[in-house]
Amino acid sequence: MSSYLDSFSGRNSWKRYLSSLAVVLGFLLIGGIAYGLSLIMAIQLDGDSYFDIELGRSIGLSPYIEFMLLNSVYLFWLLGLFISVRFIHKRPLRSLVTHRDHVQWGRVFWGFGVFLGIYLLLNVADLLIFQEGFKVNPGTSPSQFLLLFGLVLIFTPIQTTVEELFFRGFLAQWIGKGVRNPLLLSLIIALIFGSLHFANPEMSRSALFVGLEYLFAGFMLTYVAVKTGTAELSIGAHAANNIFLFLFFSDKQSVGGELPALFEAGEVNAGISLLWSVVLFGVFYWMSMRKYGGQE
């Protein structure tokens, strides 16, 4: 089966990959500085908010503003990737996703819909079995949720797609030049992907179980991409995962913070959460392979 990991043109020496990584990291640095300056300015203009160094986030600032500012960093990341792939590797950005001459959006939306459907069913099962864990968020009004809905639909797919372009695309293609075993390649990408999420506030629940959940998610997203020959399903699944969390669960111990989601997350059992993730990605992988595993 043809694969996006090796069926692309351009110039792809190790020196060019190193140069591209330097460009991407440079744009990330610029984006981080822009985010920091914008956050300081927003806090000063607000007057009633401040930045808590221990928590690593602003207190009192509108969660909408912080959400938009934080996600703006991904635009810099995307620009760095585009410049690197287009001008250093001399190939189109879509080559990070597929070996074909166009992205098959049907695959992306299939991955999104199937992953979201499985996620919803598992959360219903979790509620029926444990009868706790989340409740309707009393602080969310219809107008607040509609604003959140619009912002999440705009910014979150950008955030998740950029991460997929970098981890399942750029890094997987680079490391895949020397590592041909799908399991080993997926494990390496998972270690990089997971470790960069270890600073997330969710880690305070359980460094072991939450850390393993990040690693497992990174592994399965990569493995699905490698086994199906494109990163399209992983792009859809990653977007579904984050959109679901931002819209449905307000959790102060998460990246979403105090966003006005539909439900408030209660006491989260990190071990059970890991178990549900194994089921979620396991079912998604099985369904993905049944539909796309043998296609060219």
Side-chain angles (χ1 to χ4, degrees), residues 21-283:
L21 181 61
V23 170
V24 171
L25 292 178
F27 272 89
L28 267 175
L29 178 61
I30 295 172
I33 293 173
Y35 163 68
L37 293 175
S38 299
L39 185 61
I40 291 172
M41 185 179 301
I43 290 173
Q44 289 180 337
L45 291 174
D46 180 73
D48 296 323
S49 57
Y50 64 95
F51 189 83
D52 190 304
I53 298 178
E54 291 185 2
L55 294 177
R57 62 184 180 88
S58 64
I59 303 296
L61 187 67
S62 166
Y64 302 119
I65 294 177
E66 187 159 12
F67 179 77
M68 288 188 290
L69 292 179
L70 182 60
N71 279 276
S72 67
V73 176
Y74 289 90
L75 298 175
F76 290 89
W77 195 348
L78 179 59
L79 182 58
L81 279 170
F82 173 78
I83 291 174
S84 298
V85 175
R86 183 68 183 86
F87 297 104
I88 297 178
H89 295 279
K90 308 294 183 180
R91 52 189 173 99
L93 188 65
R94 71 171 182 275
S95 65
L96 297 179
V97 178
T98 179
H99 56 284
R100 300 181 179 88
D101 58 4
H102 64 279
V103 174
Q104 293 190 332
W105 290 103
R107 285 190 173 211
V108 176
F109 290 119
W110 185 91
F112 179 91
V114 169
F115 194 92
L116 184 62
I118 301 169
Y119 212 161
L120 284 168
L121 289 174
L122 289 179
N123 274 274
V124 170
D126 182 80
L127 180 61
L128 292 175
I129 294 171
F130 298 103
Q131 299 182 353
E132 58 184 16
F134 57 92
K135 60 182 179 180
V136 175
N137 190 349
T140 299
S141 67
S143 59
Q144 288 177 317
F145 181 75
L146 284 175
L147 178 56
L148 175 65
F149 184 82
L151 292 176
V152 167
L153 287 190
I154 293 171
F155 286 100
T156 301
I158 296 174
Q159 174 245 316
T160 55
T161 300
V162 170
E163 289 191 4
E164 290 304 305
L165 290 174
F166 182 72
F167 292 105
R168 255 60 65 183
F170 179 80
L171 286 185
Q173 288 178 344
W174 182 8
I175 298 172
K177 289 169 63 70
V179 179
R180 307 302 298 176
N181 184 285
L183 288 171
L184 181 57
L185 175 60
S186 300
L187 179 59
I188 293 172
I189 299 299
L191 290 171
I192 300 172
F193 176 82
S195 63
L196 294 178
H197 287 74
F198 287 168
N200 284 6
E202 292 92 337
M203 291 291 288
S204 62
R205 292 194 176 105
S206 170
L208 174 61
F209 290 126
V210 175
L212 285 174
E213 190 170 356
Y214 283 132
L215 292 173
F216 184 73
F219 176 87
M220 290 303 298
L221 287 171
T222 307
Y223 196 63
V224 167
V226 173
K227 297 297 286 185
T228 58
T230 79
E232 292 155 336
L233 299 184
S234 296
I235 288 174
H238 197 165
N241 181 82
N242 287 27
I243 287 175
F244 180 87
L245 290 175
F246 287 140
L247 290 181
F248 284 93
F249 293 108
S250 177
D251 182 1
K252 294 181 180 180
Q253 282 186 287
S254 72
V255 175
E258 298 180 356
L259 289 172
L262 285 178
F263 301 100
E264 279 186 337
E267 190 67 29
V268 178
N269 187 307
I272 294 176
S273 179
L274 173 61
L275 177 61
W276 283 128
S277 288
V278 171
V279 175
L280 170 62
F281 280 101
V283 174

